Amino acid sequence: MKILSFCHSSRASSPLPGFVVFFLICSVLKMESAKFTVIGPRDPVIAILSQEAVLPCHLSPRMSAANMELRWYRSQFASFVHLYRDGKDQYDGQMPEYWRRTELLKAGFTDGNVALKILNIRHSDEGQYHCFVQDDTFYEETILELRVAGLGSAPLISVEGHQDGGIRVVCRSAGWYPEPEVLWKNLNGRHLPSLCETKSQGDNNMFETETVIILTEHSNQNLSCCIRNIFLNQEKESAVYIADPFFPRVNSWMVALSVILVVLFGFIGHTVYLFKMKDKRDKEINLRDKEIRWRRSVAPIKKANVTLDPDTAHPKLVLSEDRKSVRCGDTRQDLPDNLERFDIDPCVLGCEGFTVGRHSWEVEVGGQGVWAVGVAGESVKRKGHISRNSEEGIWAVEQGWAGQFQALSSPVTSLPQRRVPSRIRVCLDCDWGQVTFFDAADEAPIFTFPPGSASGERIRPWVWVGWGSQLRLCP
């Protein structure tokens, strides 16, 4: 009885075997219920704009997914990117922005591959995606990230005059996403410091870059501009070599002569000043009389109704329907590369051409970018880089990248005393071969190319429109 009593007491006070059995049963049930896991890439998937991308996703262990529900979605389960159920694709309720742009790669279903292809990648496609798989009452999902990248245009390097004892070189490129890395490098690949760098994002979310470097003689005359997309780890590079004759030189005898002249003029300056004061009033009267006579001589000028010729417009230039306005767009348009069209510099000619008589028209300039307004000969160069000056057959005034206002003579004539006008009148005298520019606001002359400059061929209106500017031909 004691033994029986002892055994009975042991069973009642030791529940451990029951817990062990319960734990084993739960473990078995859990192992049975865990049918598969859904696996996606740990690193972000990189996609290129306008191309297609595949989002990988598969089941582990490998098993057929042909009879399962496969759902790809962003943040809301009900608003799906793509849905496969009951053995076919379901499009009712699909997010409108993915309509006709998604495809499940069903060839891999038997191996548990449920990857999704997205066509014509856009900026808005960037972000997280859920890969959700359900078999009867069991389901699993994983999350992966898609990053979008765009590879822009090859860098365009231009030499834009002298500055700080060297040559100002500018590198420009567009069509990058996300914001790219821009570097100047010498022949040995060593990075060079830039003077300034600007990056801007247009309405299409693409980035444009502009970086400036100052080159001095005998240092870094071989250099390249490199623009890199950090997501794609790809870059585009352009190189340039600046020859010695392009660098400004100061000879020692010129310095000495300058010092002597300064001392000399300082010594006789008082005398010169007295003579100038004496003649000042007479000169002002003569100048006023000359201006009156000159205005009378050019008064009978015929006002021309000028429109822009779309067959000559650079592919990045956007013309208005009435062909009176033009601006520089963000991307190149798909236009035929005919012989008349400018292909490098953003220029466009007027439809009208003149060989005889006097003609005038007005151009309204706007924006913060660069521009040039004037005339060009019919035979002006259309293909390749253009040297904007009178020797090239272009007679114009320009607002440059640094905000300077200048006439495109040869060499260039700076107009520092002039404020940049908002409306310019162009006067063409075909009989004299002369081009004159006025500030239309106050009739003040801006610059005159001498007689005989623009002669010998048909002359047409011409404009050069940089990014950020807009020009309009006034009625």
Side-chain angles (χ1 to χ4, degrees), residues 218-272:
H218 306 308
S219 66
N220 305 322
Q221 293 178 233
N222 282 292
L223 81 160
S224 63
C225 178
C226 176
I227 304 181
R228 176 188 296 273
N229 187 304
I230 57 176
F231 280 2
L232 298 175
N233 196 26
Q234 295 184 37
E235 62 185 33
K236 291 192 176 182
E237 185 173 5
S238 296
V240 67
Y241 172 75
I242 309 298
D244 289 343
F246 288 96
F247 289 91
R249 288 180 170 82
V250 179
N251 295 325
S252 57
W253 69 268
M254 288 292 292
V255 174
L257 179 60
S258 298
V259 172
I260 294 173
L261 289 176
V262 169
V263 174
L264 179 62
F265 280 114
F267 182 76
I268 65 174
H270 184 67
T271 304
V272 175

Side-chain angles (χ1 to χ4, degrees), residues 325-341:
S325 298
V326 58
R327 63 179 178 84
C328 188
D330 296 322
T331 58
R332 293 176 68 96
Q333 304 173 77
D334 186 12
L335 298 175
D337 186 20
N338 50 291
L339 295 176
E340 298 85 2
R341 190 178 308 282

Side-chain angles (χ1 to χ4, degrees), residues 119-188:
L119 307 176
N120 190 22
I121 290 294
R122 307 170 180 173
H123 290 95
S124 57
D125 295 335
E126 193 169 60
Q128 289 187 339
Y129 288 77
H130 295 249
C131 176
F132 174 91
V133 182
Q134 180 173 351
D135 186 17
D136 295 330
T137 60
F138 179 80
Y139 63 87
E140 282 285 347
E141 70 172 7
T142 188
I143 300 176
L144 59 150
E145 183 178 358
L146 175 67
R147 290 184 181 174
V148 176
L151 201 60
S153 61
L156 176 62
I157 300 178
S158 58
V159 177
E160 300 189 354
H162 297 111
Q163 182 176 340
D164 300 334
I167 294 180
R168 177 186 174 93
V169 183
V170 182
C171 174
R172 301 182 181 91
S173 183
W176 294 87
Y177 187 85
E179 183 176 326
E181 181 183 39
V182 184
L183 296 172
W184 287 104
K185 297 189 292 187
N186 65 7
L187 188 62
N188 299 322

Side-chain angles (χ1 to χ4, degrees), residues 22-39:
F22 177 77
F23 175 76
L24 291 174
I25 293 173
C26 290
S27 299
V28 172
L29 291 175
K30 184 176 181 180
M31 291 177 62
E32 273 190 20
S33 63
K35 295 182 178 180
F36 57 82
T37 56
V38 181
I39 300 175

Side-chain angles (χ1 to χ4, degrees), residues 103-115:
E103 176 187 352
L104 279 174
L105 302 183
K106 299 173 184 176
F109 274 13
T110 54
D111 295 327
N113 288 317
V114 292

Side-chain angles (χ1 to χ4, degrees), residues 349 352-353 376-382 393 457-460:
L349 293 172
E352 296 72 22
E378 183 71 50
S379 61
V380 67
K381 182 180 177 182
R382 314 290 177 89
E457 64 174 327
R458 187 168 177 251
I459 304 298
R460 298 173 66 177

Side-chain angles (χ1 to χ4, degrees), residues 289-419:
D289 291 342
K290 288 181 180 179
E291 184 175 349
I292 293 173
R293 290 195 300 270
W294 180 83
R295 289 188 180 183
R296 287 176 178 173
S297 68
V298 299
I301 295 178
K302 183 178 179 181
K303 189 172 183 180
N305 182 20
V306 175
T307 56
L308 300 173
D309 185 356
D311 291 335
T312 66
H314 184 275
K316 287 193 71 173
L317 296 185
V318 180
L319 276 59
S320 61
E321 290 188 8
D322 61 0
R323 299 179 183 176
K324 289 284 189 179
S325 298
V326 58
R327 63 179 178 84
C328 188
D330 296 322
T331 58
R332 293 176 68 96
Q333 304 173 77
D334 186 12
L335 298 175
D337 186 20
N338 50 291
L339 295 176
E340 298 85 2
R341 190 178 308 282
F342 294 93
D343 65 345
I344 297 297
D345 286 68
C347 307
V348 59
L349 293 172
C351 293
E352 296 72 22
F354 309 100
T355 56
V356 295
R358 297 175 175 176
H359 311 273
S360 72
W361 58 93
E362 294 183 3
V363 183
E364 189 175 275
V365 297
Q368 301 299 318
V370 296
W371 51 262
V373 172
V375 299
E378 183 71 50
S379 61
V380 67
K381 182 180 177 182
R382 314 290 177 89
K383 306 300 181 183
H385 181 67
I386 299 173
S387 298
R388 301 190 300 276
N389 56 50
S390 54
E391 290 187 352
E392 189 77 20
I394 295 172
W395 301 270
V397 292
E398 174 188 79
Q399 175 176 277
W401 287 103
Q404 71 273 23
F405 190 41
Q406 56 193 12
L408 299 181
S409 52
S410 183
V412 171
T413 302
S414 179
L415 304 172
Q417 77 281 7
R418 292 287 309 170
R419 64 174 177 83

